[in-house]
Amino acid sequence: MLSIALSELVQIFRNRLVLVTSLVMPVAVSSFFIYRHDVFAALGSLGYIAAVVMFTVGAFGLYATTVTTLAARRQNLFLKRLRSTAAGDTGIPSGLLLPITVISLLQVAAIMTVLATVAGAPDNVLLLAAAVLAMVIMMLGLGLATAGLTNSAEHAQVTTLPVSIGTIAVASWVGISGTEELALLKRLLPGGSATELVVNAWNGGVPLADSLLLLGPTLGWVIVAVTLASRIFRWEPRR
């Protein structure tokens, strides 16, 4: 698995499209939110900013790159060739996705550290870390499921849009309007409960037990995504 991961890490830095999508775009958008943090904090809160930058990295960095990587490797028959090696069916996608997962986690950690430095530290760092991990697992699951419906790296630019735009839109909606109204709907949408969890972790003022319950809907989406991925993911291109 590690040899696959090292090879994929090299490919990420060689592919300009993936490099821009997974590294440059999330950092650029997050930098803007942090630079204008006073404006966005007045619109929502610092927790809202943290949630938006988290999902920007998760949607455009982790999720979109996951789909693009798996679709491209399937298209050039690399997945098929890997299955003839000693690597197992679990180790192959794990190795392919390990580099972008680590990069995304480091990006989120760095961006939130900068936000905490310029605007104030979060109330509960451990709860914030739990929210980030839940988001990462959810986006990986959704990426695996979407990859099963994606024929090529070019096709991924279309198939990833609904989830990428949708999760960021949900994060903005929940982060700005809160969950005093339509709470159940907002929490059940993909990214809704994770956004509320980040807002609670950063802003404070909510009992820990109430916040931990928000992990349920996010992990529910993980189960749905993994179930779909197991049914529709393909190792070879459609004929």
Side-chain angles (χ1 to χ4, degrees):
M1 185 182 78
L2 290 179
S3 60
I4 297 175
L6 289 174
S7 174
E8 190 59 34
L9 181 62
V10 173
Q11 294 301 318
I12 288 176
F13 285 96
R14 285 181 177 176
N15 190 318
R16 293 181 180 178
L17 176 61
V18 172
L19 192 62
V20 170
T21 302
S22 62
L23 295 178
V24 178
M25 184 184 298
V27 170
V29 173
S30 300
S31 298
F32 175 73
F33 271 89
I34 293 175
Y35 176 69
R36 301 302 302 273
H37 67 272
D38 52 343
V39 175
F40 291 107
L43 180 64
S45 65
L46 290 177
Y48 157 62
I49 298 174
V52 167
V53 299
M54 180 184 77
F55 273 105
T56 299
V57 174
F60 291 108
L62 180 59
Y63 167 74
T65 304
T66 293
V67 178
T68 301
T69 297
L70 293 176
R73 302 299 173 264
R74 181 199 296 119
Q75 186 181 23
N76 61 20
L77 302 180
F78 186 63
L79 286 181
K80 182 178 180 180
R81 291 196 295 271
L82 283 177
R83 293 192 84 190
S84 64
T85 66
D89 285 358
T90 301
I92 292 172
S94 298
L96 290 173
L97 300 180
L98 180 60
I100 189 58
T101 302
V102 173
I103 289 173
S104 297
L105 285 170
L106 291 175
Q107 279 183 301
V108 172
I111 291 168
M112 289 192 175
T113 299
V114 174
L115 177 61
T117 301
V118 301
D123 181 76
N124 191 323
V125 176
L126 293 179
L127 188 62
L128 181 64
V132 172
L133 288 176
M135 181 277 299
V136 166
I137 296 171
M138 183 184 76
M139 298 311 284
L140 282 172
L142 292 173
L144 285 167
T146 307
L149 303 172
T150 306
N151 296 325
S152 64
E154 294 75 16
H155 190 210
Q157 298 178 39
V158 177
T159 58
T160 57
L161 283 178
V163 171
S164 296
I165 301 300
T167 51
I168 293 176
V170 169
S172 296
W173 184 32
V174 174
I176 293 174
S177 65
T179 55
E180 293 182 359
E181 298 180 355
L182 302 175
L184 182 60
L185 172 62
K186 291 177 179 178
R187 289 168 179 168
L188 291 180
L189 288 173
S193 59
T195 297
E196 187 178 0
L197 187 59
V198 172
V199 172
N200 293 348
W202 201 286
N203 297 340
V206 179
L208 179 61
D210 292 346
S211 294
L212 290 177
L213 289 175
L214 296 171
L215 289 170
T218 301
L219 296 179
W221 276 104
V222 173
I223 295 173
V224 170
V226 171
T227 301
L228 288 174
S230 66
R231 293 178 179 272
I232 63 180
F233 184 78
R234 294 173 290 108
W235 294 92
E236 298 183 27
R238 285 198 184 105
R239 298 186 181 280

